[in-house]
Amino acid sequence: MGAIDLDFSEAVFQPGITDVSVRAVMGAVSITVPPHLQVECDGRSILGHFEAMDVRPRESEPDAPVLRISGVAIMGAVEISTRPTGEGGEVAKPA
């Protein structure tokens, strides 16, 4: 019954598959990935929304990193978006 932001836009992934499992129950999970990362989604929703976004870079190497996101959204939402590396997501606070 809340929200969480997972920002992987600055993460360095090793070759192979990295699995992330999420559950959103009456809440939201927002996942940010860099545009060059291959992403596979396998999620279900019950009275909610699980964005099924499969992103594959134009030139994918056989040993390229893959982020596999799976899970469920029950009366909630899971959303995946991209943000280029170096474009921070936090708003600057006044000094």
Side-chain angles (χ1 to χ4, degrees), residues 15-48:
I17 297 173
T18 301
D19 287 308
V20 174
S21 179
V22 297
R23 284 191 192 135
V25 180
M26 296 176 61
V29 177
S30 174
I31 302 171
T32 306
V33 298
H36 67 274
L37 181 65
Q38 180 174 331
V39 179
E40 298 175 356
C41 289
D42 181 28
R44 308 283 184 259
S45 65
I46 300 169
L47 297 173

Side-chain angles (χ1 to χ4, degrees), residues 7 9 13 17 40 48 83 87 90-91:
D7 189 348
S9 61
F13 292 89
I17 297 173
E40 298 175 356
R83 180 173 53 236
E87 290 187 14
E90 294 191 11
V91 177

Side-chain angles (χ1 to χ4, degrees), residues 45-61:
S45 65
I46 300 169
L47 297 173
H49 173 74
F50 196 108
E51 181 181 290
M53 178 182 119
D54 289 324
V55 176
R56 299 201 188 331
R58 291 181 187 167
E59 298 176 14
S60 181
E61 298 177 17

